[in-house]
Amino acid sequence: MFEMQTGKDGPRALVVDDDEALLRIHARALARGGYQVETAGGGEAAMHALGKTSFDVILSDIDMPGMNGITLLERVRAFNLDVPVVLITGNPSLDSAVKAMEHGALRYLTKPVELDALVKVADDAVRLHRIAKAKRQAIELGGGLDRLVGDHAGLVASFGRALETLHIAYQPIVSWSKKTVFAYEALLRSKEPSLPHPAAVLDAAERLGRVHDLGRIIRAKAVEPLGRLPESVIIFLNLHPSDLLDEQLFLPDGPLAAVASRIVLEITERASLHGVSDVPARVASLRKLGFRIAIDDLGAGYAGLSSFALLEPEIVKLDMALVRDLHREPTKQKLVRTMISMSEELGIVVTGEGIETAEERDELARAGCDLMQGYLFAKPGDAFPVPSF
Protein backbone atom coordinates (compact mmCIF):
# COMPACT_ATOMS: atom_id res chain seq x y z
CA MET A 1 0.00 0.00 0.00
CA PHE A 2 1.09 3.55 -0.57
CA GLU A 3 -0.18 6.95 0.46
CA MET A 4 0.30 10.59 -0.49
CA GLN A 5 1.99 13.00 1.87
CA THR A 6 1.51 16.60 0.74
CA GLY A 7 4.35 19.06 0.79
CA LYS A 8 4.60 22.30 -1.16
CA ASP A 9 4.12 22.32 -4.89
CA GLY A 10 7.63 20.97 -5.21
CA PRO A 11 9.46 17.96 -6.63
CA ARG A 12 7.94 14.51 -6.29
CA ALA A 13 9.65 11.90 -4.12
CA LEU A 14 8.82 8.22 -3.71
CA VAL A 15 9.94 6.75 -0.37
CA VAL A 16 10.00 2.95 -0.08
CA ASP A 17 10.48 1.04 3.19
CA ASP A 18 8.81 -1.92 4.91
CA ASP A 19 9.42 -0.27 8.31
CA GLU A 20 6.23 1.78 8.65
CA ALA A 21 7.53 4.04 11.42
CA LEU A 22 10.73 4.89 9.54
CA LEU A 23 8.73 5.35 6.35
CA ARG A 24 6.61 8.02 8.02
CA ILE A 25 9.64 9.75 9.54
CA HIS A 26 11.46 10.01 6.21
CA ALA A 27 8.30 11.06 4.37
CA ARG A 28 7.54 13.83 6.85
CA ALA A 29 11.12 15.14 6.70
CA LEU A 30 10.93 15.37 2.91
CA ALA A 31 7.47 16.95 3.03
CA ARG A 32 8.82 19.61 5.40
CA GLY A 33 11.59 20.13 2.84
CA GLY A 34 9.01 21.04 0.20
CA TYR A 35 8.47 17.67 -1.47
CA GLN A 36 5.31 16.01 -2.67
CA VAL A 37 5.92 12.62 -1.11
CA GLU A 38 4.39 9.28 -1.96
CA THR A 39 5.22 6.27 0.18
CA ALA A 40 5.31 2.55 -0.54
CA GLY A 41 5.67 -0.30 1.94
CA GLY A 42 7.64 -2.51 -0.45
CA GLY A 43 8.98 -3.00 -3.95
CA GLU A 44 5.73 -4.16 -5.54
CA ALA A 45 3.82 -1.20 -4.12
CA ALA A 46 6.57 1.09 -5.39
CA MET A 47 6.29 -0.35 -8.91
CA HIS A 48 2.53 0.20 -8.76
CA ALA A 49 3.14 3.84 -7.83
CA LEU A 50 5.70 4.23 -10.60
CA GLY A 51 3.19 2.87 -13.08
CA LYS A 52 0.79 5.68 -12.22
CA THR A 53 3.04 8.73 -12.02
CA SER A 54 6.62 9.97 -12.44
CA PHE A 55 8.98 11.04 -9.68
CA ASP A 56 11.99 13.31 -9.41
CA VAL A 57 13.73 11.05 -6.88
CA ILE A 58 13.25 7.60 -5.36
CA LEU A 59 14.57 6.75 -1.88
CA SER A 60 14.34 3.05 -1.07
CA ASP A 61 15.36 0.67 1.68
CA ILE A 62 17.43 -2.28 0.42
CA ASP A 63 16.42 -5.02 2.88
CA MET A 64 12.71 -5.62 2.24
CA PRO A 65 10.73 -8.86 1.92
CA GLY A 66 9.66 -9.79 -1.57
CA MET A 67 11.18 -7.28 -3.97
CA ASN A 68 14.21 -5.74 -2.27
CA GLY A 69 15.76 -2.37 -3.09
CA ILE A 70 18.35 -3.74 -5.51
CA THR A 71 15.67 -5.55 -7.53
CA LEU A 72 13.49 -2.44 -7.45
CA LEU A 73 16.44 -0.44 -8.82
CA GLU A 74 16.90 -2.99 -11.62
CA ARG A 75 13.20 -2.77 -12.48
CA VAL A 76 13.26 1.03 -12.48
CA ARG A 77 16.30 1.14 -14.75
CA ALA A 78 14.53 -1.12 -17.24
CA PHE A 79 12.22 1.75 -18.18
CA ASN A 80 13.77 4.92 -16.73
CA LEU A 81 17.51 5.65 -17.03
CA ASP A 82 17.39 9.14 -15.55
CA VAL A 83 15.40 9.16 -12.30
CA PRO A 84 17.84 9.24 -9.35
CA VAL A 85 17.53 6.29 -6.95
CA VAL A 86 18.98 6.57 -3.45
CA LEU A 87 19.36 3.24 -1.63
CA ILE A 88 19.32 3.05 2.17
CA THR A 89 20.27 0.09 4.33
CA GLY A 90 20.64 -0.86 7.96
CA ASN A 91 22.93 -3.76 7.02
CA PRO A 92 25.66 -2.31 4.80
CA SER A 93 27.86 -4.72 2.90
CA LEU A 94 30.40 -4.47 0.11
CA ASP A 95 28.27 -6.73 -2.08
CA SER A 96 25.16 -4.57 -1.80
CA ALA A 97 27.18 -1.39 -2.32
CA VAL A 98 28.77 -2.80 -5.48
CA LYS A 99 25.42 -3.97 -6.83
CA ALA A 100 23.88 -0.58 -6.07
CA MET A 101 26.53 1.24 -8.11
CA GLU A 102 26.47 -1.34 -10.92
CA HIS A 103 22.75 -0.80 -11.42
CA GLY A 104 22.99 2.98 -11.31
CA ALA A 105 22.11 4.02 -7.75
CA LEU A 106 22.96 7.67 -7.21
CA ARG A 107 23.81 7.30 -3.51
CA TYR A 108 24.14 4.49 -0.96
CA LEU A 109 23.21 5.56 2.60
CA THR A 110 23.36 3.66 5.87
CA LYS A 111 20.79 3.86 8.65
CA PRO A 112 20.18 5.78 10.75
CA VAL A 113 20.18 8.65 8.25
CA GLU A 114 20.20 12.16 9.65
CA LEU A 115 17.01 13.80 8.37
CA ASP A 116 18.70 17.02 7.23
CA ALA A 117 21.23 14.91 5.33
CA LEU A 118 18.41 12.89 3.75
CA VAL A 119 16.75 16.05 2.45
CA LYS A 120 20.10 17.38 1.20
CA VAL A 121 20.73 14.15 -0.73
CA ALA A 122 17.24 14.36 -2.22
CA ASP A 123 17.76 18.02 -3.18
CA ASP A 124 21.03 17.21 -4.96
CA ALA A 125 19.38 14.25 -6.69
CA VAL A 126 16.56 16.44 -8.01
CA ARG A 127 19.04 18.94 -9.42
CA LEU A 128 20.98 16.16 -11.11
CA HIS A 129 17.73 14.75 -12.50
CA ARG A 130 16.98 18.09 -14.12
CA ILE A 131 20.46 18.16 -15.62
CA ALA A 132 19.98 14.59 -16.91
CA LYS A 133 16.68 15.48 -18.58
CA ALA A 134 18.19 18.60 -20.13
CA LYS A 135 21.15 16.53 -21.38
CA ARG A 136 18.85 14.01 -23.02
CA GLN A 137 16.95 16.82 -24.74
CA ALA A 138 20.23 18.33 -25.88
CA ILE A 139 21.36 15.03 -27.37
CA GLU A 140 18.07 14.69 -29.24
CA LEU A 141 18.36 18.29 -30.40
CA GLY A 142 21.86 17.59 -31.73
CA GLY A 143 20.82 14.46 -33.63
CA GLY A 144 22.55 11.87 -31.45
CA LEU A 145 26.09 10.55 -31.36
CA ASP A 146 28.44 9.99 -34.26
CA ARG A 147 30.89 7.13 -34.20
CA LEU A 148 34.08 7.79 -36.09
CA VAL A 149 35.39 4.98 -38.24
CA GLY A 150 38.60 4.76 -40.21
CA ASP A 151 40.61 2.59 -42.55
CA HIS A 152 42.48 -0.13 -40.67
CA ALA A 153 45.10 -0.65 -43.41
CA GLY A 154 48.39 0.80 -42.37
CA LEU A 155 46.95 1.88 -39.03
CA VAL A 156 50.01 0.84 -37.02
CA ALA A 157 52.38 2.80 -39.27
CA SER A 158 50.04 5.79 -39.42
CA PHE A 159 49.71 5.87 -35.65
CA GLY A 160 53.47 5.66 -35.23
CA ARG A 161 53.92 8.65 -37.53
CA ALA A 162 51.19 10.51 -35.65
CA LEU A 163 53.08 10.04 -32.37
CA GLU A 164 56.30 11.26 -33.98
CA THR A 165 54.67 14.48 -35.19
CA LEU A 166 52.40 14.95 -32.16
CA HIS A 167 52.37 18.43 -30.68
CA ILE A 168 50.12 20.49 -28.40
CA ALA A 169 47.99 23.50 -29.24
CA TYR A 170 46.56 25.67 -26.46
CA GLN A 171 43.30 27.58 -26.36
CA PRO A 172 42.48 30.07 -23.60
CA ILE A 173 39.51 29.77 -21.28
CA VAL A 174 38.65 33.29 -20.18
CA SER A 175 36.63 35.01 -17.50
CA TRP A 176 34.43 37.34 -19.52
CA SER A 177 33.52 39.55 -16.54
CA LYS A 178 37.17 40.02 -15.48
CA LYS A 179 38.64 40.02 -19.01
CA THR A 180 41.39 37.69 -17.82
CA VAL A 181 42.71 34.23 -18.74
CA PHE A 182 41.47 31.56 -16.33
CA ALA A 183 43.12 28.57 -18.00
CA TYR A 184 44.39 27.03 -21.23
CA GLU A 185 43.10 23.78 -22.66
CA ALA A 186 45.82 21.54 -24.08
CA LEU A 187 44.71 20.09 -27.42
CA LEU A 188 46.22 17.20 -29.36
CA ARG A 189 47.56 18.00 -32.82
CA SER A 190 49.44 15.82 -35.32
CA LYS A 191 50.89 16.28 -38.81
CA GLU A 192 50.06 12.74 -39.95
CA PRO A 193 47.78 13.21 -43.03
CA SER A 194 46.13 9.78 -42.79
CA LEU A 195 44.86 10.68 -39.29
CA PRO A 196 43.76 14.22 -40.09
CA HIS A 197 42.15 15.27 -36.81
CA PRO A 198 42.48 14.45 -33.08
CA ALA A 199 39.48 12.12 -33.05
CA ALA A 200 41.10 10.00 -35.77
CA VAL A 201 44.30 9.70 -33.74
CA LEU A 202 42.31 8.70 -30.66
CA ASP A 203 40.25 6.20 -32.65
CA ALA A 204 43.48 4.61 -33.90
CA ALA A 205 44.84 4.42 -30.35
CA GLU A 206 41.67 2.69 -29.18
CA ARG A 207 41.75 0.11 -31.96
CA LEU A 208 45.43 -0.60 -31.42
CA GLY A 209 45.17 -0.78 -27.62
CA ARG A 210 47.55 2.14 -27.23
CA VAL A 211 45.43 4.71 -25.43
CA HIS A 212 47.85 4.75 -22.49
CA ASP A 213 50.82 5.42 -24.78
CA LEU A 214 49.01 8.30 -26.42
CA GLY A 215 47.82 9.75 -23.12
CA ARG A 216 51.27 9.67 -21.54
CA ILE A 217 52.86 11.50 -24.46
CA ILE A 218 50.13 14.15 -24.52
CA ARG A 219 50.35 14.78 -20.78
CA ALA A 220 54.12 15.05 -20.80
CA LYS A 221 54.17 17.48 -23.73
CA ALA A 222 51.23 19.53 -22.43
CA VAL A 223 52.92 20.60 -19.19
CA GLU A 224 56.37 21.34 -20.65
CA PRO A 225 55.71 25.10 -21.07
CA LEU A 226 53.64 25.47 -17.87
CA GLY A 227 56.39 27.49 -16.20
CA ARG A 228 55.80 30.29 -18.69
CA LEU A 229 52.32 30.90 -17.34
CA PRO A 230 51.41 32.93 -14.24
CA GLU A 231 50.78 30.76 -11.17
CA SER A 232 47.07 31.68 -11.26
CA VAL A 233 46.56 30.19 -14.74
CA ILE A 234 45.84 26.46 -14.95
CA ILE A 235 45.85 23.79 -17.65
CA PHE A 236 42.93 21.61 -18.76
CA LEU A 237 44.09 18.15 -19.91
CA ASN A 238 41.78 15.75 -21.72
CA LEU A 239 41.62 12.20 -20.38
CA HIS A 240 40.21 9.18 -22.17
CA PRO A 241 38.20 7.07 -19.67
CA SER A 242 40.78 4.29 -20.18
CA ASP A 243 43.46 6.66 -18.88
CA LEU A 244 41.87 6.16 -15.46
CA LEU A 245 43.32 2.64 -15.61
CA ASP A 246 46.86 3.88 -16.30
CA GLU A 247 48.72 3.48 -13.00
CA GLN A 248 51.35 6.02 -14.09
CA LEU A 249 48.72 8.74 -13.70
CA PHE A 250 48.46 7.97 -9.98
CA LEU A 251 52.17 7.94 -9.11
CA PRO A 252 53.10 10.56 -6.48
CA ASP A 253 56.38 11.08 -8.35
CA GLY A 254 54.77 10.90 -11.82
CA PRO A 255 55.30 13.59 -14.46
CA LEU A 256 52.11 15.49 -13.52
CA ALA A 257 52.15 15.09 -9.74
CA ALA A 258 54.42 18.06 -9.07
CA VAL A 259 51.99 20.41 -10.84
CA ALA A 260 48.72 18.63 -9.99
CA SER A 261 47.24 21.69 -8.27
CA ARG A 262 47.41 23.52 -11.62
CA ILE A 263 45.84 20.70 -13.66
CA VAL A 264 42.17 20.02 -14.40
CA LEU A 265 41.64 16.54 -15.80
CA GLU A 266 38.84 16.74 -18.35
CA ILE A 267 36.80 13.63 -19.17
CA THR A 268 34.36 13.72 -22.07
CA GLU A 269 30.75 12.61 -21.83
CA ARG A 270 31.08 11.22 -25.36
CA ALA A 271 32.86 8.14 -24.00
CA SER A 272 31.45 5.71 -21.45
CA LEU A 273 33.04 4.99 -18.07
CA HIS A 274 31.41 1.56 -18.08
CA GLY A 275 34.63 -0.41 -18.60
CA VAL A 276 36.54 1.36 -15.80
CA SER A 277 36.44 -0.33 -12.40
CA ASP A 278 36.50 1.57 -9.09
CA VAL A 279 35.99 4.98 -10.71
CA PRO A 280 35.13 6.82 -7.44
CA ALA A 281 38.23 5.41 -5.71
CA ARG A 282 40.45 6.29 -8.66
CA VAL A 283 39.07 9.82 -8.86
CA ALA A 284 39.53 10.21 -5.10
CA SER A 285 43.19 9.23 -5.51
CA LEU A 286 43.63 11.85 -8.22
CA ARG A 287 42.06 14.51 -6.02
CA LYS A 288 44.37 13.50 -3.16
CA LEU A 289 47.29 14.28 -5.48
CA GLY A 290 45.78 17.74 -6.10
CA PHE A 291 44.02 17.34 -9.46
CA ARG A 292 40.58 18.73 -10.18
CA ILE A 293 38.04 16.96 -12.41
CA ALA A 294 35.94 18.38 -15.25
CA ILE A 295 33.26 16.82 -17.44
CA ASP A 296 33.57 17.88 -21.09
CA ASP A 297 30.90 17.95 -23.82
CA LEU A 298 27.98 18.24 -21.38
CA GLY A 299 24.81 17.84 -23.41
CA ALA A 300 26.37 15.87 -26.27
CA GLY A 301 27.39 12.58 -24.69
CA TYR A 302 25.65 9.86 -22.73
CA ALA A 303 22.43 10.84 -20.99
CA GLY A 304 21.80 9.92 -17.38
CA LEU A 305 23.58 10.62 -14.13
CA SER A 306 26.43 8.12 -14.12
CA SER A 307 29.22 10.55 -15.02
CA PHE A 308 28.16 13.00 -12.30
CA ALA A 309 27.74 10.30 -9.66
CA LEU A 310 31.09 8.68 -10.44
CA LEU A 311 33.22 11.76 -11.07
CA GLU A 312 31.59 14.45 -8.88
CA PRO A 313 33.21 17.14 -11.06
CA GLU A 314 34.31 20.57 -9.90
CA ILE A 315 33.83 21.92 -13.44
CA VAL A 316 31.55 21.09 -16.39
CA LYS A 317 31.89 22.33 -19.96
CA LEU A 318 28.80 22.93 -22.07
CA ASP A 319 29.14 21.30 -25.47
CA MET A 320 29.61 23.67 -28.39
CA ALA A 321 26.48 22.27 -30.06
CA LEU A 322 24.46 23.87 -27.25
CA VAL A 323 26.35 27.16 -27.59
CA ARG A 324 26.02 27.44 -31.38
CA ASP A 325 23.36 30.06 -32.25
CA LEU A 326 22.25 30.09 -28.61
CA HIS A 327 20.88 33.62 -29.00
CA ARG A 328 18.49 32.42 -31.74
CA GLU A 329 17.10 29.24 -30.16
CA PRO A 330 14.85 29.51 -27.07
CA THR A 331 14.93 25.75 -26.49
CA LYS A 332 18.71 25.78 -26.17
CA GLN A 333 18.51 28.84 -23.93
CA LYS A 334 16.19 27.02 -21.54
CA LEU A 335 18.41 23.93 -21.47
CA VAL A 336 21.55 25.97 -20.88
CA ARG A 337 19.97 27.98 -18.08
CA THR A 338 18.80 24.78 -16.41
CA MET A 339 22.25 23.21 -16.62
CA ILE A 340 23.96 26.34 -15.31
CA SER A 341 21.50 26.88 -12.47
CA MET A 342 21.52 23.28 -11.26
CA SER A 343 25.30 23.02 -11.58
CA GLU A 344 25.87 26.16 -9.56
CA GLU A 345 23.56 24.90 -6.81
CA LEU A 346 25.74 21.79 -6.65
CA GLY A 347 28.89 23.92 -6.42
CA ILE A 348 30.00 23.06 -9.95
CA VAL A 349 31.62 25.74 -12.13
CA VAL A 350 30.30 25.95 -15.70
CA THR A 351 32.34 26.79 -18.80
CA GLY A 352 30.90 27.45 -22.24
CA GLU A 353 32.99 26.29 -25.21
CA GLY A 354 32.86 26.82 -28.95
CA ILE A 355 31.90 30.49 -28.76
CA GLU A 356 32.29 32.13 -32.15
CA THR A 357 30.13 35.25 -32.04
CA ALA A 358 29.50 38.14 -29.68
CA GLU A 359 25.81 37.19 -29.64
CA GLU A 360 26.60 33.69 -28.33
CA ARG A 361 28.94 35.19 -25.75
CA ASP A 362 26.35 37.68 -24.52
CA GLU A 363 23.58 35.07 -24.32
CA LEU A 364 25.84 32.80 -22.25
CA ALA A 365 26.68 35.69 -19.95
CA ARG A 366 22.97 36.43 -19.49
CA ALA A 367 22.46 32.78 -18.58
CA GLY A 368 25.04 33.11 -15.80
CA CYS A 369 28.10 31.57 -17.47
CA ASP A 370 31.28 33.59 -16.96
CA LEU A 371 34.03 31.18 -18.09
CA MET A 372 34.16 30.94 -21.88
CA GLN A 373 36.26 29.37 -24.62
CA GLY A 374 36.13 29.68 -28.39
CA TYR A 375 37.37 31.24 -31.59
CA LEU A 376 35.80 34.57 -30.61
CA PHE A 377 38.59 34.95 -28.04
CA ALA A 378 41.43 32.99 -29.67
CA LYS A 379 42.05 30.02 -31.94
CA PRO A 380 44.22 27.18 -30.61
CA GLY A 381 47.90 27.87 -31.14
CA ASP A 382 51.40 27.43 -29.83
CA ALA A 383 51.98 28.20 -26.17
CA PHE A 384 50.25 30.53 -25.39
CA PRO A 385 47.73 32.50 -27.53
CA VAL A 386 46.68 35.88 -26.15
CA PRO A 387 42.87 36.23 -26.15
CA SER A 388 41.00 39.14 -27.64
CA PHE A 389 38.24 40.68 -25.57
Side-chain angles (χ1 to χ4, degrees):
M1 298 294 292
F2 56 90
E3 60 183 8
M4 180 67 71
Q5 304 262 345
T6 56
K8 301 175 184 177
D9 185 23
R12 299 178 63 85
L14 175 62
V15 184
V16 189
D17 203 314
D18 62 321
D19 184 330
E20 188 174 343
L22 197 57
L23 187 66
R24 286 198 299 268
I25 290 170
H26 287 173
R28 287 171 182 167
L30 289 165
R32 286 195 298 270
Y35 285 80
Q36 299 179 71
V37 185
E38 194 161 324
T39 62
E44 294 294 347
M47 290 304 301
H48 183 56
L50 287 161
K52 295 179 63 178
T53 189
S54 60
F55 295 89
D56 296 292
V57 60
I58 300 169
L59 303 100
S60 175
D61 185 26
I62 290 180
D63 303 304
M64 299 182 292
M67 186 189 301
N68 64 23
I70 298 292
T71 303
L72 173 62
L73 173 59
E74 293 176 15
R75 295 275 297 274
V76 169
R77 285 291 173 258
F79 65 89
N80 190 320
L81 297 174
D82 293 335
V83 63
V85 178
V86 177
L87 292 180
I88 307 170
T89 182
N91 298 297
S93 70
L94 178 60
D95 181 62
S96 62
V98 169
K99 287 182 178 178
M101 296 308 296
E102 283 179 348
H103 294 291
L106 182 67
R107 292 288 186 271
Y108 179 89
L109 306 178
T110 57
K111 298 178 182 178
V113 182
E114 186 178 301
L115 296 183
D116 287 346
L118 183 74
V119 175
K120 173 64 166 56
V121 167
D123 288 346
D124 288 349
V126 168
R127 295 183 182 109
L128 288 171
H129 190 204
R130 291 175 182 169
I131 291 174
K133 290 193 290 187
K135 284 165 55 183
R136 191 172 293 280
Q137 287 179 264
I139 291 169
E140 293 171 356
L141 194 66
L145 298 170
D146 294 324
R147 174 64 178 168
L148 289 169
V149 295
D151 184 4
H152 187 72
L155 193 60
V156 173
S158 294
F159 185 69
R161 291 192 297 269
L163 293 185
E164 290 174 1
T165 60
L166 188 149
H167 60 283
I168 303 297
Y170 298 85
Q171 188 174 35
I173 299 170
V174 305
S175 166
W176 172 238
S177 64
K178 297 177 182 177
K179 308 298 188 292
T180 58
V181 175
F182 171 74
Y184 282 92
E185 181 178 359
L187 299 164
L188 161 66
R189 295 291 185 266
S190 173
K191 297 179 180 178
E192 170 53 37
S194 65
L195 299 173
H197 48 77
V201 178
L202 182 57
D203 183 63
E206 288 176 342
R207 287 196 269 166
L208 295 172
R210 299 191 62 186
V211 171
H212 289 181
D213 293 336
L214 178 62
R216 290 176 181 183
I217 292 172
I218 291 171
R219 294 193 293 272
K221 287 183 175 289
V223 299
E224 283 178 359
L226 184 60
R228 291 160 52 186
L229 286 174
E231 286 290 330
S232 60
V233 179
I234 60 179
I235 293 287
F236 278 61
L237 272 174
N238 290 281
L239 281 191
H240 188 282
S242 295
D243 284 324
L244 291 173
L245 297 173
D246 184 357
E247 296 304 325
Q248 188 191 82
L249 186 62
F250 301 86
L251 295 176
D253 57 351
L256 291 188
V259 292
S261 63
R262 297 183 65 187
I263 302 295
V264 176
L265 300 174
E266 188 174 322
I267 301 175
T268 178
E269 280 224 318
R270 295 180 186 271
S272 173
L273 291 164
H274 177 70
V276 183
S277 60
D278 301 324
V279 173
R282 291 178 180 276
V283 170
S285 296
L286 292 172
R287 284 200 170 92
K288 189 175 180 180
L289 290 172
F291 295 107
R292 281 170 281 180
I293 304 297
I295 291 179
D296 192 16
D297 303 316
L298 184 68
Y302 287 84
L305 299 172
S306 60
S307 58
F308 277 85
L310 293 171
L311 299 174
E312 297 185 342
E314 287 89 353
I315 300 170
V316 296
K317 298 179 77 174
L318 299 176
D319 186 72
M320 64 178 63
L322 281 175
V323 172
R324 189 67 61 247
D325 294 325
L326 180 64
H327 56 293
R328 294 195 182 102
E329 301 189 30
T331 300
K332 284 186 179 180
Q333 292 168 20
K334 184 177 180 180
L335 291 173
V336 166
R337 288 179 184 275
T338 296
M339 290 180 178
I340 292 173
S341 175
M342 294 302 102
S343 295
E344 288 181 345
E345 289 190 33
L346 289 164
I348 300 171
V349 177
V350 179
T351 299
E353 59 182 349
I355 300 156
E356 295 186 352
T357 68
E359 292 82 3
E360 292 168 350
R361 176 201 65 200
D362 293 344
E363 191 62 46
L364 266 179
R366 281 191 289 270
C369 181
D370 182 53
L371 295 182
M372 303 185 190
Q373 177 181 359
Y375 281 13
L376 179 65
F377 305 104
K379 293 183 178 181
D382 295 336
F384 290 98
V386 177
S388 170
F389 294 102

